[in-house]
Amino acid sequence: MVASASAACLQIYDDGPGWPNASRDKERAYRQGFIEEARRVVREWTEPDDATFDPAGEEHTARQLRLRTRERYSIYKPNYGPLCAGRKTYHMGYRPGHEVPAARLRGRHHALAYVTQSWDDVQDFEAFDRLVLPAWLVAVERWAEKPIRPRVIVPPPRPLHIARGDGDGPAPGQSDMMRPDNDSPPSAVSPPSVRALKLIRADRIEMRRPDWLLRGMLERDTLSLIFGDPGCGKSFLAIDWACRVATGTPWRGHDVKAAPVVYVAGEGRNGLGRRIAAWQEHNGVSILGAPLHIAPAVAIPEVGQLAELIAAVEADAERPALLVLDTLARCFGGGDENSTQDMSKFVSACDAMRRRWGCTVLVVHHTGHADKNRARGAIALKAALDAEYRLVKDDKLLLTATKMKDAETPVPLAMELVSVELPGLVDDYDNPVASAAVNVLDADVSAIVSKIASAGSRGKWQQLGLTIARRLIAEGDDGQVTVDAWRKACTSVGMVRQNQHRVMEALVERGEIIVTNGALTLPNC
């Protein structure tokens, strides 16, 4: 800008955090610029487009924008004498009012610098971007909400401080307020220290006993999973465990230490209140005042939603000891469960929360479509688990450990779902409303295991053929059904005649049906 000599101007370009004059407007603008850029970085850099991703170029652009803005607010004296080199020969100073826009641009530049200069001390860039940056954004959000105090500058948190668990950043007295070169990014003055890699001799490793959340089932600070068919009672079991931890209710005669629980309810949320009420009624325990917190489903592989969940938990709940994700499908987002890459992102998000809070993460999941003996999706999920349980429903429920990484595998556990009438709750027709609760059976499970193992080895059509035979025999009065009637029912559900013959032979060979004189019966019927 060219101005007359009498034009008002400032001799110093005020682009520092507190120099020469700190003000609330400057600090507010700095925080606004920093958090805007931090949000963009976390949103775009965690899943970058390789064709356009240029962090060094972005930081250079941000710095050049600060320089251009400084030039835009500069005041120069008009032409002076015949030997003048140009209209901007004599610099007079800077126009008033530049402090706020300069502070905002400084905030945007510093947010970029905090991240890019942290990379100098990072080896696993993918893990840094996917795990550290979301947690850093949560800390930045908290920093931006802190009250502004005159002449006290609180710098933003640094990513590697968050990764090491050092809190939100340096102490207020260690701000970059007194830095002589205010154009330099903050990390240039106080780069984050790197924890040196240390080796430990095997005979010096400390042995620790298991720290059980639920004795024999869930260990603290682990990733665990329950899987089973739809409707088998997975969520009822997860609710039972969550309520026991939140209230300190014993599990199979073993004491449970009460601790906060966060239950992310993605399925059956409308009936969740009734299920919790049924658990209270069945166990004679109240959850009044218990630290059991319910959250809606979030796609945790997506950085923004993961950051929202972390922020909500830390704002409204104590540090949880148990985090339940019910179900994986509802917390997975738009990825492909069969993709190793997408499943690894889900596991990484679970690990990020587990490490942050030192909690047990319990995932509720479905069985595979073809193989009912394993959880659905990529094998990367099972590889990452510390414990995995399969829940099967026949006449009773059978809970079987299919993986126990660092503890003795528990014996199969028989349970049942019992109907519980909810006191004081009726429907529109004044009928009492009921839900269900899990009841553990201290019984010999060998017969249940044998029965379920037999059922698990059946193919799709064999299971369907046996189900049809059981239904038709139950509908009759003489404990049998004609083979022709069975074939007709099988045809109606899409089983071709060739498959019918193979199914009948297989079921007869396994002793699950008996065919005599054109009639079909069941053993011991």
Side-chain angles (χ1 to χ4, degrees), residues 475-503:
E475 292 173 353
D477 298 328
D478 55 358
Q480 64 179 8
V481 63
T482 65
V483 172
D484 289 341
W486 177 82
R487 287 184 180 278
K488 182 177 180 180
C490 289
T491 301
S492 68
V493 295
M495 188 188 304
V496 298
R497 193 169 185 84
Q498 186 178 6
N499 272 349
Q500 294 171 18
H501 179 71
R502 286 199 294 262
V503 165

Side-chain angles (χ1 to χ4, degrees), residues 9-181:
C9 68
L10 300 175
Q11 295 300 312
I12 298 174
Y13 187 69
D14 191 358
D15 191 20
W19 179 85
N21 296 305
S23 72
R24 293 180 182 274
D25 290 340
K26 280 177 54 182
E27 179 64 16
R28 191 177 296 111
Y30 176 78
R31 294 187 184 190
Q32 181 183 4
F34 193 99
I35 198 168
E36 286 174 353
E37 193 64 14
R39 287 169 177 165
R40 186 192 69 82
V41 166
V42 173
R43 184 177 62 251
E44 297 181 7
W45 288 15
T46 51
E47 296 291 340
D49 181 355
D50 294 337
T52 59
F53 186 50
D54 183 16
E58 290 185 29
E59 184 183 352
H60 176 75
T61 300
R63 185 176 181 85
Q64 291 302 311
L65 181 58
R66 292 179 66 185
L67 295 176
R68 288 199 300 271
T69 301
R70 178 172 183 162
E71 180 66 18
R72 188 163 61 246
Y73 280 95
S74 296
I75 299 176
Y76 293 91
K77 189 175 182 179
N79 292 344
Y80 183 79
L83 301 178
C84 177
R87 298 180 68 236
K88 294 185 177 182
T89 301
Y90 298 99
H91 183 265
M92 304 291 295
Y94 304 94
R95 285 187 291 125
H98 68 267
E99 301 87 353
V100 169
R104 184 175 180 182
L105 290 175
R106 175 168 51 87
R108 300 184 74 94
H109 179 210
H110 283 186
L112 283 168
Y114 268 51
V115 175
T116 57
Q117 295 190 5
S118 295
W119 287 344
D120 294 338
D121 302 312
V122 172
Q123 294 182 349
D124 189 346
F125 292 100
E126 184 177 358
F128 175 81
D129 292 345
R130 193 172 62 245
L131 302 179
V132 176
L133 288 185
W136 172 64
L137 179 59
V138 172
V140 170
E141 298 273 3
R142 290 202 304 265
W143 162 78
E145 294 175 356
K146 290 181 179 179
I148 298 174
R149 295 180 294 170
R151 307 194 67 81
V152 177
I153 305 302
V154 181
R158 303 177 187 276
L160 291 184
H161 286 152
I162 302 302
R164 293 195 303 268
D166 295 343
D168 287 352
Q174 296 176 352
S175 72
D176 55 2
M177 182 174 178
M178 303 303 296
R179 198 173 57 249
D181 178 10

Side-chain angles (χ1 to χ4, degrees), residues 231-251:
C232 73
K234 303 183 299 293
S235 293
F236 285 100
L237 179 57
I239 289 171
D240 181 87
W241 286 354
C243 290
R244 290 181 186 278
V245 173
T247 59
T249 302
W251 162 253

Side-chain angles (χ1 to χ4, degrees), residues 172-222:
Q174 296 176 352
S175 72
D176 55 2
M177 182 174 178
M178 303 303 296
R179 198 173 57 249
D181 178 10
N182 288 302
D183 274 343
S184 301
S187 298
V189 173
S190 54
S193 60
V194 183
R195 186 172 297 170
L197 179 66
K198 294 182 179 180
L199 304 182
I200 184 170
R201 214 168 66 192
D203 60 351
R204 295 179 180 174
I205 297 176
E206 179 184 0
M207 290 189 298
R208 299 178 182 177
R209 63 183 182 181
D211 186 8
W212 294 109
L213 195 63
L214 288 178
R215 185 174 178 83
M217 307 301 290
L218 294 180
E219 198 171 345
R220 294 181 186 272
D221 193 14
T222 58

Side-chain angles (χ1 to χ4, degrees), residues 270-352:
N270 290 336
L272 184 63
R274 295 194 296 272
R275 294 181 179 187
I276 294 176
W279 182 89
Q280 296 179 83
E281 186 69 17
H282 178 67
N283 292 277
V285 177
S286 173
I287 65 165
L288 184 64
L292 175 58
H293 304 272
I294 311 301
V298 291
I300 62 172
E302 298 179 14
V303 173
Q305 294 195 38
L306 175 61
E308 288 181 10
L309 176 60
I310 292 174
V313 170
E314 296 185 348
D316 301 329
E318 303 172 64
R319 181 186 294 265
L322 175 63
L323 172 67
V324 181
L325 302 177
D326 186 4
T327 60
L328 182 146
R330 291 299 182 92
C331 298
F332 199 77
D336 179 5
E337 290 181 15
N338 294 309
S339 165
T340 299
Q341 181 178 3
D342 291 345
M343 186 61 76
S344 295
K345 292 179 182 178
F346 176 84
V347 170
S348 295
C350 291
D351 284 343

